Amino acid sequence: MTVEQFSGRLPCGSRFLDLTRPQVMGILNVTPDSFSDGGRFAQVDAALRHAASMVAAGASLIDVGGESTRPGARGVSPVEELERVAPVVEAIARELDVIVSVDTSTPAVIREATRLGAGLINDVRALCREGALKAAADSGLPVCLMHMRGEPGGMQQHSHYDDVVAEVRAFLAGRIAACVAAGIAVERVILDPGFGFAKTLEHNLGLFKHLASLHDLGRPLLVGVSRKSMLGQVLGREVDQRLAGSLALAALAVARGARILRVHDVAETVDVVRILAAVEAAE
Ligand code: 8Y4
């Protein structure tokens, strides 16, 4: 496989994602911990306003997630996940000029989000759940396959690797093959090494350093490091003090060939991408 196997314009439902240049995906959590009270309408309205501000700041994707992957978070039933995510996916798809990514591993959520206008399936479990490959295949949408081991919350007991880069690459290669066998065209696949998921600081840093070696899988890379604990571990800073570190890694990820950056701080990350593009455009 060659590095440039993918074309520039990825069809994402009714919209196209330009992968000839780096794109910014804004994170939108719709877990009860993020919108505690005020009722369903207020939650959807607040989510829509947050999404609109990220779009105004230059996000070309909004990643809508209804299941907290935080360590210790309790599991969410498919019905509960759907009740959180569906109205937000529907509202953003209707109101905003942006690709809605749905952060889910649940087949029923994949199907309903597709019907409501989602443009991308972002699955931290890489479509490993029963029925997820079929639901994603039927959606016709692109899929982001992320590497992880075990389940969010109890993941650190799985963080043993002899060669983290090789093992992540082998896992992702296997999931590409599973997708293709399920009828998902390889052109629809985006890959993600899964920073912070069942990995120690050493693993995360090693993967980041060698990010470019994942290009030989021939698919665009998505990187999510925004505010994550690897920054906290290196810098000794709490989650609300990790912007500079997040931006440094965003720039480095783009330099190592990442095409999508999943971030909280969209305006700042868009500035990073723009200044890198200006340098690249110079003689
Ligand atoms: C502060 C804020 C500290 C957020 C940690 C976090 C990824 C992902 C997540 C990722 C893809 C997170 C849904 C974890 N991370 N999807 N999702 N890639 N594709 N933690 O890296 O943001 S949730």
Side-chain angles (χ1 to χ4, degrees), residues 133-261:
L133 277 169
K134 178 72 163 63
D138 292 347
S139 76
L141 299 178
V143 297
C144 179
L145 306 175
M146 196 195 80
H147 174 271
M148 134 164 108
R149 282 183 183 173
E151 276 294 301
M155 294 185 295
Q156 287 325 334
Q157 58 265 42
H158 298 275
S159 56
H160 173 82
Y161 303 86
D162 291 315
D163 180 341
V164 68
V165 179
E167 288 168 53
V168 166
R169 187 206 278 107
F171 171 85
L172 293 174
R175 296 314 296 162
I176 294 174
C179 282
V180 170
I184 299 170
V186 72
E187 291 77 16
R188 278 166 56 194
V189 174
I190 295 165
L191 301 176
D192 183 340
F195 290 102
F197 288 86
K199 294 166 190 87
T200 65
L201 175 62
E202 189 188 16
H203 296 140
N204 287 313
L205 296 174
L207 260 180
F208 206 101
K209 182 171 182 177
H210 300 289
L211 187 69
S213 76
L214 296 175
H215 288 313
D216 63 13
L217 292 166
R219 302 305 311 145
L221 300 182
L222 185 153
V223 164
V225 287
S226 179
R227 301 184 188 173
K228 280 188 180 172
S229 64
M230 60 189 285
L231 293 156
Q233 288 170 284
V234 172
L235 303 173
R237 299 199 190 282
E238 291 306 316
V239 65
D240 59 346
Q241 297 296 317
R242 297 175 187 168
L243 176 59
S246 297
L247 296 178
L249 290 188
L252 208 48
V254 169
R256 283 158 162 58
R259 296 302 170 102
I260 304 172
L261 303 171

Side-chain angles (χ1 to χ4, degrees), residues 4 6-10 16-25 55 57-61 97 99 190 220-222 250 253-255 257-261 269-278 280-281:
E4 294 302 331
F6 49 94
S7 78
R9 268 161 58 94
L10 181 68
F16 288 88
L17 183 64
D18 176 8
L19 289 171
T20 62
R21 57 196 176 83
Q23 299 292 339
V24 175
M25 168 188 273
V55 174
S60 46
L61 305 116
D97 183 18
I99 297 164
I190 295 165
L221 300 182
L222 185 153
V254 169
R259 296 302 170 102
I260 304 172
L261 303 171
T269 307
V270 167
D271 274 1
V272 167
V273 168
R274 287 174 60 202
I275 194 71
L276 295 179
E280 284 309 309

Side-chain angles (χ1 to χ4, degrees), residues 40-82:
R40 170 86 70 82
F41 178 80
Q43 288 183 14
V44 175
D45 193 57
L48 185 58
R49 278 185 284 106
H50 184 197
S53 77
M54 292 194 285
V55 174
S60 46
L61 305 116
I62 301 292
D63 192 38
V64 180
E67 183 209 10
S68 181
T69 43
R70 221 167 292 167
R74 68 180 179 86
V76 184
S77 76
V79 169
E80 196 178 340
E81 190 190 344
L82 199 55

